[in-house]
Amino acid sequence: MTPPDQVLACQQAGWSVVPAAIERKRAMVPWLHWQTAAAGPELLAEWARRWSRCNWAVITGPLSGIVVVDIDPRHRGDHAL
């Protein structure tokens, strides 16, 4: 099975992409390594075969060039901003 086109597009853009559990929104692989190295298309295909019904997550940070600010009003993040 091949990864979805969107996953391959993210990988080709230089983003680090990993499979994520649908229920828990957690990476299905140890994600720390993927903060400094992006999986290639062969490994993405292997993951897609192994977890055909997973979500996919982009690892944020320097490698992917993505920064996320999570504003959580439940924890007064809107006030801290």
Side-chain angles (χ1 to χ4, degrees), residues 39-52:
E42 299 83 16
L43 184 53
L44 292 176
E46 181 182 322
W47 288 340
R49 280 189 299 276
R50 184 171 181 187
W51 297 295
S52 61

Side-chain angles (χ1 to χ4, degrees), residues 27-66:
M28 298 174 77
V29 296
W31 61 270
L32 195 58
H33 171 75
W34 305 110
Q35 288 184 330
T36 57
E42 299 83 16
L43 184 53
L44 292 176
E46 181 182 322
W47 288 340
R49 280 189 299 276
R50 184 171 181 187
W51 297 295
S52 61
R53 296 179 40 89
C54 70
N55 281 333
W56 292 89
V58 175
I59 302 294
T60 58
L63 179 64
S64 295
I66 299 172

